[in-house]
């Protein structure tokens, strides 16, 4: 039966036989000469191996697109695992997290054993195995398999992380990703064959392995890379937390939920946060001279507001009195918003903050003067001044949180020795399984979708449409200053996506295939479907998660 395919960039539609592969429809390279690695079929990401069975629109994707780049990264994770099975059959590789344009992985002598340092010889053998995979150009296929057969296949292969994930699913068939004799549970589109996995470089980094691919800016060369030791330290610390909790992948989390052990897991997770806040407050109190200004910064939906309030409690325990401000309350009137390159208001630009007004208030407070508290009304998009009066005593500490908190433009009038800088992130160590990482950016986006709907009146489509500009703003205005921080804090909670799932799924379902945001909505839905839900009433009132779902003991 013939179908009609509307190919992006082509004036006339194509009439094709039903069942034709995407790769037979799209060009090998896009208009810029970049290799096509996948496609949007009716705004959903599809592999080049996908067969078309209905009338559709098709848009080629290269690594220069966000969706194409994610396809490449997902394939790197899969083939790194395949290479390890070939070259190091007595070892178990675990993909830990992304870092820049790379993937960081570790080795263990058995799946349940602790990570151990890799050797140069092991990295060389992995590199040779990856090179061979690319040269062999093996197709990467999708295959349907019965549930029981899938469980048996992964159990025989010793892939207990996959078995643990399947134990909490009951679909009659399981979609698998297949490369030769190697199989993984399908978690999203991949490259059509191993020969497309180029460029790629494999290095030893510390005790682990770093696989670096291209950036979106140049798909033909390996991206420049440098290791941010602060972020790596956060990853290592959170991995230790995972060991303490006994939660390393989503299967472990789902088992804890099924065993009704989540109260302990949640209490321990929150206690680990509280311990970190206490340590930071102790460090501030011990500084000499005592800092008068504490700045908390980090990307969108990292939990800055709640972190500021929880830190304030621990500062008071140390005999200090914090006075809190938020840079969000210093946003300019909507008519004064800076305009981005797309012709729309750029809320991530530091000029979206009334810098002069914030500096004046800081100066007045340090001079012992009184100011009126300023707030920003996100619905009317205008600043308002409340009746609350604020004054800073001689021994009080001013705490300011916001995405631009570490930017020296805001506080250059305050000597560095009087400032204490905190960088906040939301980096999860939890993987869906040992091959599939959870994106920190996607985790934050899910937080923001839920929060924006509850407190700002936005639907998921609007929040997703704004996200690319948020990410560009982070690269320009936030990440360059993270190394200036005195301490870094990771606000992620391994159980949070289980709590956010019921909220987010309903909102994401409102994004339809005709919407440009559909591919992102589908990706987030695919992530969330792996998690058992947890009722929100189980979340403590002082949790960072309450900033997004409501019901916090703190006033915002």
């Amino acid at each position: 039966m013939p179908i009609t395919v509307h190919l992006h960039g082509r004036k006339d539609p194509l009439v094709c036989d039903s069942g034709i592969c995407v790769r037979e429809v799209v060009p090998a390279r896009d208009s810029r000469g970049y290799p096509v690695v996948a496609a949007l079929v009716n705004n959903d990401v599809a592999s080049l191996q996908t067969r078309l069975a209905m009338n559709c629109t098709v848009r080629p994707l290269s690594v220069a697109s966000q969706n194409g780049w994610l396809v490449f990264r997902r394939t790197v994770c899969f083939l790194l695992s395949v290479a390890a099975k070939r070259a190091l059959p007595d070892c178990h590789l675990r993909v830990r997290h992304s870092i820049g344009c790379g993937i960081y992985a570790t080795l263990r002598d058995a799946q349940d054993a602790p990570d151990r340092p890799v050797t140069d010889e092991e990295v060389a053998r992995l590199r040779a195995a990856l090179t061979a995979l690319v040269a062999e150009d093996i197709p990467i296929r999708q295959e349907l398999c019965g549930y029981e057969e899938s469980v048996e296949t992964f159990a025989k292969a010793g892939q207990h992380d996959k078995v643990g994930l399947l134990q909490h699913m009951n679909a009659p068939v399981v979609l698998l990703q297949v490369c030769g004799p190697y199989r993984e549970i399908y978690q999203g589109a991949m490259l059509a064959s191993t020969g497309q996995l180029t460029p790629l470089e494999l290095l030893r980094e510390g005790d682990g392995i770093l696989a670096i691919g291209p950036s979106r800016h140049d798909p033909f060369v390996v991206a420049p890379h440098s290791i941010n030791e602060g972020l790596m330290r956060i990853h290592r610390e959170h991995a230790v937390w995972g060991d303490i909790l006994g939660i390393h992948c989503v299967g472990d989390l789902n088992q804890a939920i099924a065993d009704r052990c989540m109260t302990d897991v949640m209490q321990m997770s929150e206690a680990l946060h509280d311990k970190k806040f206490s340590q930071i407050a102790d460090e501030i109190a011990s500084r000499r001279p005592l800092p008068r200004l504490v700045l908390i910064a980090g990307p969108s939906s990292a939990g800055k507001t709640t972190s500021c309030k929880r830190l304030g409690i621990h500062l008071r325990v140390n005999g200090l009195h914090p006075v809190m401000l938020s840079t969000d309350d210093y946003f300019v009137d909507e008519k004064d918003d800076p305009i981005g390159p797309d012709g729309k208001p750029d809320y991530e630009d530091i000029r979206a903050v009334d810098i002069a007004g914030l500096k004046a208030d800081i100066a007045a407070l340090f001079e012992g003067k009184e100011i009126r508290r300023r707030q920003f009304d996100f619905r009317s998009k205008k600043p308002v001044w409340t009746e609350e009066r604020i004054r800073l005593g001689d021994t009080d500490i001013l705490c300011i949180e916001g995405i631009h908190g570490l930017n020296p433009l805001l506080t250059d009038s305050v000597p560095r020795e009087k400032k204490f800088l905190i960088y906040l992130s939301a980096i999860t160590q939890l993987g869906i399984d040992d091959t599939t990482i959870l994106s920190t950016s996607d985790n934050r986006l899910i937080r923001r979708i839920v929060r924006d709907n509850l407190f700002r009146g936005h639907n998921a489509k609007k929040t997703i449409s704004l996200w690319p500009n948020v990410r560009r703003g982070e690269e320009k205005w936030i990440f360059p200053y993270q190394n200036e921080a005195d301490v870094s804090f990771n606000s992620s909670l391994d159980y949070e996506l289980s709590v956010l799932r019921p909220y987010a799924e309903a909102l994401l379902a409102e994004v339809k295939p005709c919407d440009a945001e559909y591919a992102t909505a589908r990706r987030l839905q695919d992530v969330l479907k792996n998690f058992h839900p947890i009722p929100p009433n189980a979340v403590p009132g002082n949790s960072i998660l309450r900033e997004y779902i409501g019901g916090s003991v703190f006033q915002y």
Side-chain angles (χ1 to χ4, degrees), residues 24 29 91 132 152 296 345 365:
E24 298 176 69
R29 296 181 181 271
C91 300
E152 182 180 356
I296 301 177
L365 288 170

Side-chain angles (χ1 to χ4, degrees), residues 533-545:
I534 296 175
N537 59 0
V539 180
N542 68 340
S543 174
I544 280 173
L545 198 50

Side-chain angles (χ1 to χ4, degrees), residues 166-408:
L166 289 174
Q167 282 177 342
H168 300 280
M169 300 178 181
N170 64 351
V173 293
V174 179
L175 184 58
L176 303 179
Q177 201 78 259
V178 180
C179 178
Y182 305 103
R183 285 163 169 74
E184 298 284 351
I185 298 173
Y186 180 87
Q187 294 289 349
M190 292 191 187
L191 300 175
S193 69
T194 60
Q196 290 186 294
L197 195 72
T198 181
L200 186 68
E201 184 176 356
L202 205 65
L203 305 169
R204 178 181 173 183
E205 176 56 46
D207 289 339
I209 304 150
L210 186 62
I212 310 166
S215 72
R216 291 179 54 190
H217 306 297
D218 189 347
F220 296 109
V221 298
V222 170
H225 60 278
S226 60
I227 299 300
N228 184 311
E229 287 302 329
L231 282 181
M232 288 298 289
R233 188 164 52 251
I234 290 175
H235 280 295
R236 288 192 295 268
E237 180 181 70
H238 205 62
V240 172
W241 287 14
D243 291 337
I244 293 170
L245 296 170
I247 305 291
H248 302 100
C249 59
V250 174
D252 294 337
L253 180 69
N254 289 339
Q255 189 61 51
I257 296 170
D259 291 341
R260 301 183 180 181
C261 299
M262 278 309 298
T263 298
D264 285 346
V265 172
M266 294 168 76
Q267 288 177 344
M268 287 180 66
S269 298
E270 298 294 345
L272 287 167
H273 270 193
D274 225 34
K275 181 177 181 180
K276 188 68 174 180
F277 285 125
S278 177
Q279 290 170 344
I280 294 172
D282 289 347
E283 184 172 347
I284 293 171
S286 66
R287 286 281 181 101
R288 293 296 179 270
L290 184 70
R292 296 298 312 281
L293 179 61
V294 173
L295 296 158
I296 301 177
S300 175
S301 300
K304 295 179 290 295
T305 304
T306 302
S307 294
C308 189
K309 293 180 181 296
R310 287 181 68 172
L311 178 63
I313 292 172
H314 288 282
L315 289 173
R316 289 199 292 271
V317 169
N318 277 274
L320 305 174
H321 180 254
V323 175
M324 300 179 186
L325 297 179
S326 171
T327 60
D328 282 7
D329 286 328
Y330 285 81
F331 280 145
V332 297
D333 190 292
E334 183 179 24
K335 64 180 176 59
D336 298 319
D337 282 329
I339 303 300
D342 57 359
K344 299 178 181 178
D346 186 355
Y347 303 114
E348 314 308 314
D349 193 310
I350 196 169
R351 292 172 297 175
V353 176
D354 180 3
I355 299 174
L358 178 58
K359 281 186 171 184
D361 280 356
I362 292 173
L365 288 170
F366 280 136
E367 291 170 5
K369 297 177 181 177
E370 187 177 78
I371 66 169
R372 288 176 63 188
R373 181 175 291 280
R374 175 171 169 163
Q375 290 184 342
F376 189 79
D377 187 329
F378 282 94
R379 293 186 183 273
S380 67
K381 297 183 179 179
K382 295 179 181 296
V384 296
W385 281 262
T386 72
E387 294 302 316
E388 182 184 354
R389 307 284 175 166
I390 306 171
R391 184 187 295 274
L392 203 64
D394 292 340
T395 59
D396 292 346
I397 290 181
L398 180 61
C399 297
I400 301 179
E401 59 86 10
I403 62 173
H404 297 295
L406 301 191
N407 193 316

Side-chain angles (χ1 to χ4, degrees), residues 5 183 208 318 328 333 418 424 479 556:
V5 178
R183 285 163 169 74
N318 277 274
D328 282 7
D333 190 292
K418 292 187 177 181
L424 211 66
F479 297 153
Y556 297 107

Side-chain angles (χ1 to χ4, degrees), residues 287-533:
R287 286 281 181 101
R288 293 296 179 270
L290 184 70
R292 296 298 312 281
L293 179 61
V294 173
L295 296 158
I296 301 177
S300 175
S301 300
K304 295 179 290 295
T305 304
T306 302
S307 294
C308 189
K309 293 180 181 296
R310 287 181 68 172
L311 178 63
I313 292 172
H314 288 282
L315 289 173
R316 289 199 292 271
V317 169
N318 277 274
L320 305 174
H321 180 254
V323 175
M324 300 179 186
L325 297 179
S326 171
T327 60
D328 282 7
D329 286 328
Y330 285 81
F331 280 145
V332 297
D333 190 292
E334 183 179 24
K335 64 180 176 59
D336 298 319
D337 282 329
I339 303 300
D342 57 359
K344 299 178 181 178
D346 186 355
Y347 303 114
E348 314 308 314
D349 193 310
I350 196 169
R351 292 172 297 175
V353 176
D354 180 3
I355 299 174
L358 178 58
K359 281 186 171 184
D361 280 356
I362 292 173
L365 288 170
F366 280 136
E367 291 170 5
K369 297 177 181 177
E370 187 177 78
I371 66 169
R372 288 176 63 188
R373 181 175 291 280
R374 175 171 169 163
Q375 290 184 342
F376 189 79
D377 187 329
F378 282 94
R379 293 186 183 273
S380 67
K381 297 183 179 179
K382 295 179 181 296
V384 296
W385 281 262
T386 72
E387 294 302 316
E388 182 184 354
R389 307 284 175 166
I390 306 171
R391 184 187 295 274
L392 203 64
D394 292 340
T395 59
D396 292 346
I397 290 181
L398 180 61
C399 297
I400 301 179
E401 59 86 10
I403 62 173
H404 297 295
L406 301 191
N407 193 316
L409 282 175
L410 296 184
T411 60
D412 54 8
S413 61
V414 182
R416 179 63 178 89
E417 65 271 15
K418 292 187 177 181
K419 295 188 285 191
F420 190 91
L421 279 55
I422 302 170
Y423 180 74
L424 211 66
S425 56
I427 299 172
T428 178
Q429 62 89 28
L430 190 69
I432 293 176
D433 53 33
D434 283 352
T435 314
T436 310
I437 59 175
L438 281 173
S439 164
T440 293
S441 174
D442 282 353
N443 195 74
R444 291 191 290 112
L445 177 54
I446 291 170
R447 281 182 173 187
R448 180 157 173 161
I449 286 169
V450 174
R451 183 200 66 186
D452 282 5
N453 180 257
L454 287 175
F455 303 114
R456 298 184 179 179
H458 295 176
N459 57 26
K461 178 181 174 181
K462 181 175 179 62
T463 300
I464 293 171
S465 71
L466 295 172
W467 193 244
N469 193 51
V470 170
R471 298 285 288 130
R472 283 193 295 270
E474 292 169 354
E475 294 287 345
K476 182 176 182 179
W477 298 109
I478 301 172
F479 297 153
Y481 302 104
Q482 59 186 310
N483 288 332
E484 301 298 317
D486 295 292
V487 297
S488 296
F489 176 75
N490 185 9
S491 71
S492 72
L493 293 159
D494 286 344
Y495 72 85
E496 67 181 80
L497 289 183
S498 288
V499 175
L500 292 171
R501 175 179 174 174
Y503 295 89
E505 276 190 326
L507 299 171
L508 292 168
E510 297 174 359
V511 185
K512 304 304 180 186
C514 57
D515 296 323
E517 298 78 15
Y518 185 67
T520 300
R522 284 276 292 165
R523 184 177 74 248
L524 300 181
Q525 286 175 308
D526 286 343
V527 169
L528 290 168
K529 72 181 181 183
N530 293 287
F531 291 80
H532 281 340

